[in-house]
Amino acid sequence: MSNSDIMKFQEPVIYQIYPRSFQDSNGDGIGDLPGITSRIPYLAQLGVDMVWLSPVYKSPNDDNGYDISDYRQIMDEFGTLADFDELMAVAQENDIKIMMDLVVNHTSDEHEWFQQARSSRDNKFRDYYIWKDAAGYDDDGTPLPPNNWISAFAPSAWEWDEGTEQFYLHLFSKKQPDLNWDNPTVRQEVYDIMRFWLDKGVSGFRMDVINLISKDPAYPNDPEVEAGGHESALWMAANGPRVHEYLQEMNREVLSKYDVVTVGETPDVSTEDALKYTGFDRDELQMVFQFEHMDVDSNPEGFGKWNDEKFKLVDLKRVLSKWQNDLAGKGWNSLYWNNHDQPRAVSRFGNDSPAWRVLSAKMLAINLHFMQGTPYIYQGEELGMTNVFFEQVEDYDDLEIHNAWREYVEESKLIPPEKMLSFISASGRDNARTPMQWSAEENAGFTTGKPWLGLNPRYKEINAEQAVADEDSIFHFYRRLIELRHSTPLMITGTYELLDNAENPLDEEVYAYLRTGDDESLLVICNFTDRQLTRTFEQLDDSAELLISNYPDDAVETLRPYEGKVYRISNR
């Protein structure tokens, strides 16, 4: 790919906001749209091009806004449509675009469509959702679900509706019934919702679990459950028989008519699948969020994500390199270390101790931002916010955490309570959802009331006010990385080569790679340890120019603890 081939959607750096935790403006302890608006100058100073808002639609909040009851209204806690319009206006004044979260695999069970659908089998909205008869009945008359699918948040993916005597499908919470995308009227309803927001000036959609929208009409049993596994059936629904047909239709009818950035959240995809979703000639999505690198510290032989084991760098390099190489020149990927569903990057992949937090956070930023793909920064990542430890499960809010606690601690008793609390602190989603740390004042400047979720007590040392005032902070390092991406096309176009060589075929300590263009290359070197190491690279010749480093000076053959650095090298 040459500089002239750069596509518009490949250029922006995108910042994710979890509205509930970003900034409260009215003292109710919950972040809101006016709070986000008040912080737009902060985001402009950071230099991001686009802000992705996690859902702000009307919702009963069973799953923190991912259960939507009205797609054209704003959640009462977040404000009004007028507040949204004001946010859009202020963002545009600061050259920042807005990306909405499109959640259309499922709705809330409180959405008018579902309320109508469950009122009668003959209701016109009945076919908006997926209903099935019972497979049979227990001896006591209990209806048996149509298949053995397990929901991501509940024992079964099927919920019995007493009034109409059928099951409905919910791959997530029972309050999140799945839409029937095989119904063309449902698809048109979704497209109308998209047009509503695009006509308001929205410039992008992050599409929640979009590769689950087409299910196998036979609804076969999940063989992993039959074999004794306990994972959800998401993989059974992923990449279904008509998903590409539907996304191409969406592109043809809506997306192609607007200047819009699209990213699909796609669990259980391979690189081959991703090329179908993002292939430059496919007219579907522009990029995907995939999760393979998020599973490098998972334990499939134990309790999946619920563990506190550290990842192995060789596993991370293998996964990231596969995605870099397999999509090169043909499709596009997103780059991220964390989001609203993942623990904090510096705690997970770096070192969050006071001695190494800043250096390792900067090193992780270098490692990610110089790869091919679109960088996403999750709120607080640019401050080096860390995981949190709460002493009792009641202090956590997340539905997934409480379901896991019930399954593993209370019901099966497979995990002792103190061990499960350690697992939650390492892997739980609420690590990303503790309120944004704006200052060292009470409640970290997030709210004048009681925060909806407890603060991370480290806010007195880790906060935006301190970071913005310190030119050597993680915040200013991210600002520099964003400036480099805007001025260095090679970060977008260069080919990728992992530099594990014959001397170090599986380097377990250093991640080094090369981005190569026609005239020059970028050599990226990252030490993932707290030890000083020595490495030599044949590319480091007299033409090498240090482009960026998280240390103030350069020692060419020495890699200091958590050092990350990039050299610009002439190919002539």
Side-chain angles (χ1 to χ4, degrees):
M1 181 187 294
S2 67
N3 295 353
S4 61
D5 294 328
I6 294 176
M7 292 174 244
K8 195 170 181 181
F9 70 84
Q10 297 172 325
E11 296 176 340
V13 175
I14 302 174
Y15 186 97
Q16 183 191 354
I17 287 179
Y18 194 70
R20 195 173 185 83
S21 297
F22 195 63
Q23 177 67 71
D24 173 26
S25 71
N26 60 8
D28 66 356
I30 297 169
D32 48 42
L33 294 180
I36 296 171
T37 302
S38 73
R39 297 295 185 179
I40 289 294
Y42 167 86
L43 298 174
Q45 184 179 3
L46 182 60
V48 296
D49 304 290
M50 180 174 285
V51 166
W52 153 29
L53 298 177
S54 285
V56 295
Y57 315 97
K58 191 173 181 62
S59 168
N61 265 325
D62 182 61
D63 187 25
N64 278 351
Y66 282 88
D67 50 316
I68 297 167
S69 56
D70 190 335
Y71 288 90
R72 291 178 174 84
Q73 292 296 327
I74 299 296
M75 192 185 306
D76 292 342
E77 295 169 332
F78 290 165
T80 65
L81 278 174
D83 291 326
F84 181 85
D85 292 340
E86 175 67 11
L87 168 60
M88 285 285 301
V90 174
Q92 288 172 358
E93 289 170 5
N94 287 271
D95 296 322
I96 293 175
K97 297 180 179 180
I98 299 295
M99 170 184 280
M100 296 290 278
D101 213 317
L102 187 71
V103 187
V104 288
N105 173 73
H106 47 266
T107 71
S108 166
D109 66 345
E110 297 183 31
H111 194 289
E112 177 64 18
W113 297 343
F114 191 74
Q115 293 295 301
Q116 291 280 347
R118 75 188 319 174
S119 67
S120 163
R121 288 199 188 191
D122 298 324
N123 190 282
K124 70 174 185 178
F125 289 99
R126 185 73 173 182
D127 195 43
Y128 275 41
Y129 297 88
I130 298 167
W131 299 88
K132 298 291 179 186
D133 292 330
Y137 294 86
D138 274 353
D139 294 340
D140 63 0
T142 301
L144 300 174
N147 66 22
N148 67 355
W149 286 11
I150 293 175
S151 155
F153 295 154
S156 174
W158 300 94
E159 182 72 10
W160 180 250
D161 181 66
E162 196 67 46
T164 57
E165 297 188 323
Q166 277 189 315
F167 284 94
Y168 65 84
L169 179 68
H170 60 92
L171 290 175
F172 297 91
S173 160
K174 67 181 181 181
K175 287 183 66 63
Q176 293 170 293
D178 279 48
L179 285 167
N180 176 21
W181 273 70
D182 292 338
N183 180 347
T185 307
V186 167
R187 302 200 299 275
Q188 291 305 318
E189 293 270 22
V190 169
Y191 303 157
D192 284 345
I193 291 165
M194 296 171 71
R195 292 186 193 101
F196 174 83
W197 292 102
L198 288 166
D199 290 341
K200 274 188 166 293
V202 165
S203 299
F205 287 115
R206 176 265 189 188
M207 302 183 187
D208 187 67
V209 294
I210 196 65
N211 66 324
L212 305 186
I213 59 176
S214 172
K215 283 79 172 177
D216 183 340
Y219 289 92
N221 276 335
D222 182 344
E224 289 190 359
V225 172
E226 293 181 338
H230 297 285
E231 293 298 313
S232 77
L234 296 191
W235 75 282
M236 292 291 292
N239 315 309
R242 300 182 69 186
V243 64
H244 298 292
E245 171 192 340
Y246 296 156
L247 289 175
Q248 288 167 10
E249 179 185 83
M250 178 193 289
N251 189 290
R252 185 169 61 251
E253 295 203 14
V254 184
L255 299 174
S256 63
K257 303 182 188 310
Y258 294 84
D259 181 10
V260 61
V261 175
T262 60
V263 54
E265 182 195 29
T266 52
D268 292 291
V269 289
S270 64
T271 53
E272 292 79 7
D273 294 324
L275 285 171
K276 295 176 183 177
Y277 289 111
T278 72
F280 297 151
D281 59 349
R282 295 280 299 177
D283 294 327
E284 296 189 24
L285 303 172
Q286 291 167 346
M287 68 191 91
V288 293
F289 280 123
Q290 51 82 24
F291 298 94
E292 194 170 353
H293 67 300
M294 292 288 105
D295 291 334
V296 293
D297 52 5
S298 181
N299 181 1
E301 305 302 320
F303 305 103
K305 69 176 281 182
W306 301 111
N307 69 80
D308 52 9
E309 299 173 11
K310 282 293 185 182
F311 75 103
K312 292 181 173 60
L313 183 59
V314 290
D315 294 336
L316 184 67
K317 290 196 288 188
R318 173 182 51 79
V319 171
L320 292 179
S321 296
K322 177 176 73 173
W323 281 86
Q324 288 288 294
N325 291 324
D326 289 2
L327 268 61
K330 295 176 287 186
W332 201 247
N333 195 17
S334 58
L335 305 172
Y336 71 96
W337 281 130
N338 40 204
N339 59 35
H340 63 288
D341 284 333
Q342 301 295 337
R344 289 285 177 180
V346 72
S347 299
R348 184 181 192 180
F349 297 110
N351 185 330
D352 64 10
S353 68
W356 302 120
R357 181 184 64 86
V358 171
L359 279 167
S360 67
K362 291 178 180 180
M363 179 274 293
L364 289 173
I366 283 178
N367 188 260
L368 194 77
H369 280 243
F370 279 88
M371 290 190 180
Q372 182 169 274
T374 294
Y376 287 75
I377 301 168
Y378 180 70
Q379 64 183 47
E381 179 185 336
E382 77 282 8
L383 306 177
M385 282 179 61
T386 63
N387 283 353
V388 69
F389 179 82
F390 293 147
E391 294 185 352
Q392 52 187 16
V393 72
E394 290 77 14
D395 293 331
Y396 291 98
D397 173 84
D398 180 36
L399 181 67
E400 183 184 55
I401 288 173
H402 287 282
N403 283 335
W405 184 273
R406 183 176 62 252
E407 177 180 356
Y408 294 122
V409 177
E410 296 177 349
E411 294 176 355
S412 68
K413 302 188 185 324
L414 290 171
I415 305 176
E418 62 278 5
K419 178 56 74 172
M420 189 64 187
L421 285 172
S422 174
F423 291 171
I424 292 170
S425 179
S427 307
R429 300 197 300 182
D430 275 349
N431 283 303
R433 301 175 183 187
T434 57
M436 182 73 169
Q437 294 160 201
W438 292 107
S439 70
E441 66 186 56
E442 186 177 5
N443 292 332
F446 165 70
T447 182
T448 57
K450 181 182 178 182
W452 73 277
L453 181 65
L455 287 147
N456 188 320
R458 296 185 70 177
Y459 73 85
K460 292 185 179 179
E461 61 171 303
I462 305 170
N463 60 72
E465 186 175 72
Q466 177 274 331
V468 171
D470 178 6
E471 285 294 326
D472 195 38
S473 68
I474 302 167
F475 174 90
H476 287 290
F477 198 79
Y478 268 79
R479 186 174 58 79
R480 175 67 177 134
L481 283 171
I482 295 169
E483 289 173 349
L484 279 173
R485 182 176 175 85
H486 289 156
S487 62
T488 313
L490 188 54
M491 293 173 70
I492 300 174
T493 62
T495 61
Y496 170 93
E497 179 187 358
L498 180 67
L499 294 181
D500 281 354
N501 50 40
E503 179 186 353
N504 248 319
L506 289 174
D507 196 324
E508 299 177 352
E509 300 169 320
V510 175
Y511 196 146
Y513 63 89
L514 202 63
R515 297 292 307 281
T516 302
D518 292 336
D519 299 323
E520 61 183 17
S521 299
L522 299 173
L523 173 62
V524 183
I525 308 169
C526 294
N527 179 2
F528 272 72
T529 78
D530 61 2
R531 301 182 307 280
Q532 182 163 302
L533 305 173
T534 300
R535 296 290 189 274
T536 57
F537 295 92
E538 61 183 24
Q539 295 82 3
L540 282 178
D541 56 24
D542 292 341
S543 75
E545 167 203 354
L546 184 66
L547 186 64
I548 190 170
S549 171
N550 60 350
Y551 276 80
D553 57 346
D554 186 26
V556 176
E557 290 193 4
T558 299
L559 280 175
R560 288 159 289 194
Y562 296 108
E563 184 166 19
K565 54 187 177 180
V566 181
Y567 293 94
R568 192 198 307 265
I569 300 168
S570 172
N571 294 342
R572 295 175 178 174

